[in-house]
Amino acid sequence: MLYMTTITWEPPQRDAVLKRFATQGAKPPAGVKILGMWGDIHGGKVYELSDWGNVNDPKLVVQAAHAWSDLCKIESVTVMNAEEIMKVISSIK
């Protein structure tokens, strides 16, 4: 399963976010691969695409988000390739 996560923070949190990322980096749970990470050029926002494969433990999702919840707002949605979505939609009767 692919997740697109949006991570945002308020301007006063900027230095703390940069410091933590520099020292800890992004630490996904075991079995999770970060496929890409993009930052908003205006600052205050990062987008992360991760592949959770067969990792289906909701506890791991909560733990991953909780690690940054003191500094950031984290929103994750499951995503799928648009062509795959269209195939699934067209197969629904």
Side-chain angles (χ1 to χ4, degrees):
M1 181 75 49
L2 297 178
Y3 284 88
M4 179 60 75
T5 302
T6 304
I7 305 161
T8 57
W9 57 90
E10 296 298 322
Q13 302 294 57
R14 178 186 170 271
D15 291 344
V17 170
L18 292 174
K19 181 178 179 182
R20 185 177 298 173
F21 189 79
T23 58
Q24 295 181 12
K27 290 184 178 180
V32 175
K33 296 177 190 166
I34 295 177
L35 302 177
M37 189 177 266
W38 302 269
D40 178 347
I41 62 172
H42 300 289
K45 188 179 293 184
V46 168
Y47 301 94
E48 177 186 282
L49 179 63
S50 56
D51 184 349
W52 284 64
N54 293 325
V55 179
N56 291 318
D57 186 350
K59 184 177 177 180
L60 293 177
V61 177
V62 173
Q63 287 175 337
H66 185 71
W68 287 85
S69 64
D70 60 323
L71 297 175
C72 305
K73 179 180 177 185
I74 299 168
E75 298 179 67
S76 292
V77 295
T78 54
V79 294
M80 182 183 255
N81 177 289
E83 289 179 15
E84 291 178 44
I85 293 171
M86 296 311 289
K87 287 179 188 175
V88 171
I89 290 171
S90 66
S91 70
I92 298 171
K93 305 253 179 191

